[in-house]
Amino acid sequence: MRKNIAYVFVLLLTVACSSKGNREHVTATPEQDDPKIITAGGTITEIVHALGHGDAIVATDRTSTYPSQMQTLPSIGYRNQIQAEGILSLNPDWILVEEHYLNQDVVTQLQNSGKQVTVLPKPQSEEAAAALIKEIGGMLEEKERAEGLIEQLTQDLETLRGLKAENDTQPKVAFIMSRGPEMVFLAGKNTFASAMIALSGGQPVEVDFEGMKPLTPEALPALNPDYILMFESGFQASGGKEGLRAIQGITETNAWKKDQFVVMDGHYVSSFGPRLGQAAIELFEKTHP
């Protein structure tokens, strides 16, 4: 199987090289049983590992926290810190990149290097999650394993639908990202947070912006969420609930008064990968006691 993957990789690489007239020819042979892969994006990393190819990953980025052994590999950094030179110095055969994760000039440098570069979308829905698993499974010639992951995801989401049918309340949930009292952001529309909250039977707080926006002092009292969702890392960095007291307006919310903070691993709740259904079930249970 690994030789087949290597052979497919060689064909892809040959096509990529021949499509660029100014690109030097890169030699590769089917004897390369284990193409060295670098991943940039935690969801991609998790899927590659779940498909049985974690041992082919030679380096990855800081968002690739699952499984935990991925963090023992050399790190290429985080988002804007990542440079093409650092990736290329590790001499990978294949670079899998999450769309919009790296600066475009870095992606262009990688593409012009003669290495095989594949840019993949970041899913924010159950359909997109299944599609990405299927796409990476096809690239790695792991169709059956990919189908198994999708089947498990489908079963998890079916379980979630059953739970929501039994309890159809929709508590208001706000996601805030805290990097200290002076750096607090609120999630708006078209974010992983709004998608995950809705999938998990909650109601994202109503805002008039997209993406993440700095939290204003009057925002939380006006929105008055029933629950506040946070990453574990941000909650701990803020000093726990008492540390969050420094955020203006937070003590006026129902979430604060009822001690309804939901703290989850950042990659787990935001990745929309193979464990999407499990994460959504956990969030449902925490917001629908």
Side-chain angles (χ1 to χ4, degrees):
M1 179 61 72
R2 292 190 181 279
K3 288 190 176 183
N4 289 337
I5 293 170
Y7 184 65
V8 171
F9 166 74
V10 171
L11 292 178
L12 289 170
L13 188 57
T14 301
V15 171
C17 292
S18 63
S19 67
K20 295 281 186 180
N22 62 343
R23 186 181 293 174
E24 293 184 4
H25 178 67
V26 178
T27 59
T29 67
E31 283 70 33
Q32 287 180 297
D33 289 349
D34 297 293
K36 296 188 295 183
I37 299 173
I38 288 181
T39 56
T43 305
I44 295 172
T45 304
E46 180 174 350
I47 293 173
V48 171
H49 187 276
L51 290 169
H53 293 266
D55 57 350
I57 301 175
V58 296
T60 189
D61 72 305
R62 282 174 50 195
T63 71
S64 298
T65 58
Y66 184 87
S68 59
Q69 60 262 39
M70 293 293 101
Q71 285 293 285
T72 66
L73 297 173
S75 174
I76 60 173
Y78 178 73
R79 291 193 178 273
N80 294 340
Q81 302 170 357
I82 298 174
Q83 301 297 321
E85 294 80 6
I87 294 175
L88 296 174
S89 69
L90 297 168
N91 194 31
D93 300 308
W94 202 351
I95 306 165
L96 303 181
V97 179
E98 179 185 298
E99 189 175 21
H100 305 309
Y101 183 69
L102 304 183
N103 288 334
Q104 184 54 47
D105 59 339
V106 174
V107 176
T108 301
Q109 283 180 271
L110 294 173
Q111 291 170 330
N112 290 336
S113 71
K115 301 293 184 180
Q116 177 65 25
V117 180
T118 303
V119 180
L120 297 161
K122 176 68 171 77
Q124 286 193 357
S125 69
E126 53 190 282
E127 296 82 7
L132 183 59
I133 293 170
K134 182 177 180 179
E135 182 174 1
I136 297 177
M139 291 190 301
L140 295 176
E141 289 198 324
E142 294 289 359
K143 181 180 178 180
E144 289 187 6
R145 285 192 178 187
E147 289 176 348
L149 292 177
I150 294 170
E151 182 179 354
Q152 182 61 59
L153 173 60
T154 302
Q155 291 176 1
D156 292 337
L157 292 171
E158 185 61 32
T159 299
L160 174 63
R161 279 187 282 273
L163 293 172
K164 291 195 291 186
E166 294 175 1
N167 185 345
D168 61 358
T169 58
Q170 293 185 305
K172 287 196 298 181
V173 183
F175 173 81
I176 61 173
M177 180 179 289
S178 174
R179 296 172 180 169
E182 305 302 320
M183 293 185 67
V184 184
F185 300 85
L186 176 68
K189 301 175 183 177
N190 295 325
T191 60
F192 84 86
S194 61
M196 176 60 87
I197 290 167
L199 177 63
S200 303
Q203 177 186 346
V205 290
E206 293 186 17
V207 294
D208 59 0
F209 62 88
E210 296 188 354
M212 304 289 289
K213 184 177 179 180
L215 184 66
T216 59
E218 65 275 7
L220 283 179
L223 296 170
N224 194 22
D226 299 305
Y227 290 86
I228 291 177
L229 172 64
M230 297 185 68
F231 290 161
E232 285 179 351
S233 56
F235 187 76
Q236 294 169 359
S238 299
K241 182 180 176 182
E242 283 307 306
L244 293 174
R245 187 185 292 275
I247 298 175
Q248 295 187 46
I250 196 170
T251 59
E252 300 175 43
T253 64
N254 286 335
W256 178 277
K257 294 172 183 177
K258 297 180 180 180
D259 196 22
Q260 294 183 157
F261 286 80
V262 178
V263 181
M264 297 178 68
D265 176 77
H267 173 68
Y268 183 49
V269 75
S270 70
S271 67
F272 281 73
R275 298 178 298 152
L276 168 62
Q278 298 170 34
I281 289 171
E282 182 173 330
L283 180 54
F284 173 88
E285 292 174 340
K286 289 178 180 292
T287 54
H288 295 75

